[in-house]
Structure formats: C-alpha cells, structure tokens
Amino acid sequence: MSPISNREIHLASRPVGMPTAANFELVETHLPDPAPGQMLVRNRYMSVDPYMRGRMVDRKSYVPPFQIGEVLTGGAVGQVVRSNRGPLAEGTYVLSMNGWREYFLSDGDGLTPVDPGLAPLSSYLGVMGMPGLTAYVGLLDIAKPKAGDAVFVSGAAGAVGSVVCQIAKLKGCQVIGSAGSDAKVDWLLNRAGVDAAFNYKAMPVSAGLARFARGGIDVYFDNVGGDHLEAALSALNNFGRVAVCGMISQYNAIAPTPAPRNLALVIGKRLTLQGFIVSDHYDRLGDFHRDMSQWIAGGQVKWEETVYEGIENAPAAFLGLFSGENLGKMVVKC
Ligand code: NDP
C-alpha cells in the first residue's frame, strides 16, 4: 500500500512566559505500512493539558522535557485502522500517550483498549480518564473531606475542578467554586449544583471567600496557586487540608511569584498541605471507573468538554487553557 500521510505538531522553540503559536510547528510526515506484528492507529481525539507547559521547559521534573524539533506527546484516543498480525484487531479503540499526531505505528506497547459503548470516546481523556482520576484521588485520598466540610475549589469549571466540585457534593460537603467568567459561574451553580460560586476576575478571591464561606473553609482543592492559595490559607479553619493539585497561575511566570505571603498561617492553624501527582495513584483506577460510571449514569456527575477541530488547531486549544477558553475538558478532534 502507499505510505500514509500524517500531520503532527512539533515543539519549534521553548516558550518564555505565555506560549504563542510560534512555539509550535505543523509537520507533514509519511508512515510506512505496518511491519509484521505492528498496527496503524488513527487518533480520533487528543488531549491538551496544563502540565504540558511544564514539559516545554528544559528542566528535571517528574516527567522529562519535550525536545525541540520533536513531536509532542500526550493522551489520545485512536482506532486501529490497519493491523499486520498486531496484537489488537482492526476497529479496536485505544488510549495511548501518542497524541499531537494523526497516525502512529505501534506494536501494542502502551496501548489500552477502551470501549466506546461504555462511555463516549473523548471522555476517556476527561471525566473517565486522567483528569477525572486526579479529581477522585485528590479529593477523596488527599483532602479526605467529611460530610459538612466547606470545600473551596479553584479552577472549578475545568476538567479536574468540575469533577472535584461534584464529588464533594456527593460526599455531603458545602462547595464553593471560583472560575474566570460569569458563564462558568452559571454552569457551576445551575449544572454542577455547587452551593456558591464567584468570578475571580470580577472580585478578589479573598472577597469571594469572605462573602460565600462565612464560616471559613475546611478543605481547599488548589488548581491555581498564587492569590487563590493565599486567600484560601487565610480562610482555612484550624486543622484544614489543602490538596495541592496544580498552580496554573504560575506556569507562565518569568520571575518567582510572591503569593502566598501568609504561609506562616499553616503553623497556628495546624494546616496540612499535600501535593500529589495522579500517576502515583493508578491503583485506584478500578474504584474510580466503578464509581464514576455509576455517578455519570445516575446524573450525579455532569461533564462538559470544549472541542477544537483538526490537528492544526491543537496549539490554539493548548493556548486556550491559559485564557480560560474551556468549560470542562479541552480536547482536539483529530
Ligand atoms: P482546566 O480544564 O481547569 O483548564 C485550565 C483552566 O485554568 C482554564 O480554563 C482557566 O479557567 C484556568 N486558568 C488559566 N490560567 C489561570 C490563571 N492565571 N489564574 C486562574 N485560573 C487560570 O485544566 P485541568 O483541569 O486539566 O487542570 C487543572 C489543574 O490541575 C492545573 O493546574 C493542572 O496542572 C493540574 N493537574 C494536576 C494533576 C496532578 O497530577 N497533580 C493532574 C492533572 C491536572 P478560568 O476561566 O476559571 O480562569
């Protein structure tokens, strides 16, 4: 057969501060037919995630940096479209870390079959995938909320935050969310069923918490850091817990950021702050899939996604994470 024409996104240069389209390059390649034992996979959806910004910096971290001139990687759901006696049948849908490209060849290593009959394909990148698991373990295992606790969630209308809010409600907590637009606040109040939500671009976070969490907060699920973390530390009650999931407000900073300026509060208030990385918690995947599929089927967890069309628009989708263009999970239909 003729070579397969493939388009993929390379890292053209390392961003300094806010990334731009110039940091990415759309490259056309040609793949040979699958060798014996190999399969050709056509990606259908790929994920863009805030953590990818950290991988664009050349530094040691829990995942290695992306290399300039090489194709980016990330979560993707694709379909085996050709198999040369490969381990999976043609037609099988698979989850992989081979995103940012239309096609790839594989011997099956690193591929996990997924069932489109159980959940929509793209949801394996969101509510049924890594962000959903992050919300599940970050809230239940790290923050350990009790019924009646006041739980504050930042980035509350995003992939992780929207799920955290709804699980906290299921556990009998009072939930306060912050998000960057009135439309997101409206979704949180009227779809996710939180008790209170505010637009942090319209009022300082400290004012939002003073208004909507009059008795203070017991748990803070941090997706944002900076001023959000500072305001949460001030609002936390004695023995409060913080699940430190992400600090997206700092990912594009070009100099150290000052907040939180009140870290000493952890002593007098006897607070616990615990960071976590979802990949340490894949032992919880079975529990997560069982609970989440029941919650979705029962209408207790609602999920949204924002879809960009075409691999050529993957950089724009990624950049959109930093300007809040997504409600729920940001994905690209390849
Ligand atoms: P989201 O779907 O929440 O998308 C990012 C959102 O962040 C945007 O929509 C925007 O919403 C908000 N945002 C962007 N810039 C800022 C800013 N300067 N200040 C405040 N809010 C901002 O992404 P995810 O749900 O995938 O990730 C949420 C957080 O969780 C991130 O920090 C991410 O790094 C972290 N994470 C951590 C994991 C772990 O293992 N620890 C795993 C997965 C994610 P808005 O309109 O509200 O501003």
Side-chain angles (χ1 to χ4, degrees):
M1 290 199 195
S2 54
I4 299 107
S5 178
N6 166 57
R7 294 182 306 160
E8 56 190 37
I9 306 290
H10 290 199
L11 183 66
S13 56
R14 297 199 183 282
V16 178
M18 187 66 78
T20 70
N23 297 126
F24 302 89
E25 187 185 8
L26 179 67
V27 174
E28 189 164 349
T29 68
H30 292 91
L31 299 178
D33 278 331
Q38 273 191 332
M39 303 164 294
L40 177 70
V41 179
R42 172 75 167 94
N43 277 335
R44 301 296 179 198
Y45 289 93
M46 58 158 273
S47 181
V48 289
D49 298 276
Y51 79 86
M52 293 169 175
R53 177 65 183 86
R55 295 194 68 186
M56 292 172 187
V57 180
D58 192 11
R59 66 166 175 229
K60 196 163 180 260
S61 183
Y62 64 97
V63 272
F66 294 130
Q67 295 303 317
I68 293 172
E70 289 186 5
V71 62
L72 296 163
T73 60
V77 179
Q79 187 175 25
V80 177
V81 290
R82 223 180 275 173
S83 178
N84 187 352
R85 288 172 278 133
L88 298 169
E90 285 179 11
T92 308
Y93 288 97
V94 290
L95 185 64
S96 80
M97 284 304 289
N98 296 324
W100 295 90
R101 69 203 78 185
E102 291 176 317
Y103 289 93
F104 64 92
L105 292 167
S106 171
D107 59 7
D109 207 27
L111 303 189
T112 307
V114 294
D115 184 349
L118 281 183
L121 277 185
S122 56
S123 73
Y124 290 102
L125 301 174
V127 67
M128 288 296 286
M130 182 278 281
L133 180 64
T134 303
Y136 185 87
V137 298
L139 185 71
L140 299 181
D141 300 353
I142 306 293
K144 299 190 177 80
K146 299 184 293 293
D149 277 352
V151 176
F152 172 45
V153 184
S154 58
V160 174
S162 61
V163 178
V164 174
C165 287
Q166 295 177 84
I167 299 176
K169 281 306 299 174
L170 279 164
K171 298 297 171 188
C173 301
Q174 181 209 347
V175 179
I176 305 112
S178 69
S181 74
D182 291 346
K184 291 183 181 185
V185 167
D186 186 62
W187 184 86
L188 285 163
L189 292 169
N190 295 313
R191 289 286 291 160
V194 302
D195 299 280
F198 63 92
N199 177 352
Y200 71 88
K201 291 179 181 165
M203 70 170 80
V205 185
S206 52
L209 289 177
R211 182 161 161 195
F212 296 114
R214 290 182 187 277
I217 58 174
D218 304 295
V219 167
Y220 173 44
F221 193 102
D222 192 12
N223 286 313
V224 170
D227 60 340
H228 278 77
L229 178 55
E230 185 169 296
L233 289 172
S234 291
L236 274 156
N237 296 322
N238 287 346
F239 301 102
R241 285 94 62 210
V242 182
V244 186
C245 176
M247 295 199 178
I248 194 166
S249 69
Q250 309 193 355
Y251 294 173
N252 298 310
I254 48 176
T257 45
R261 296 164 296 183
N262 54 354
L263 192 58
L265 286 175
V266 297
I267 307 161
K269 293 189 182 188
R270 287 85 101 199
L271 305 178
T272 304
L273 279 69
Q274 187 178 341
F276 70 99
I277 295 293
V278 63
S279 50
D280 293 337
H281 299 272
Y282 275 101
D283 58 316
R284 293 280 274 148
L285 204 55
D287 298 332
F288 161 68
H289 279 150
R290 182 200 60 223
D291 289 344
M292 189 55 70
S293 38
Q294 280 173 14
W295 291 335
I296 291 173
Q300 293 142 303
V301 169
K302 299 174 184 77
W303 57 280
E304 300 284 339
E305 57 187 17
T306 302
V307 185
Y308 276 56
E309 298 269 345
I311 189 87
E312 66 278 15
N313 290 315
F318 174 72
L319 300 179
L321 292 171
F322 299 101
S323 48
E325 282 175 33
N326 57 308
L327 173 61
K329 178 75 186 105
M330 183 77 98
V331 292
V332 179
K333 194 164 189 235
C334 302

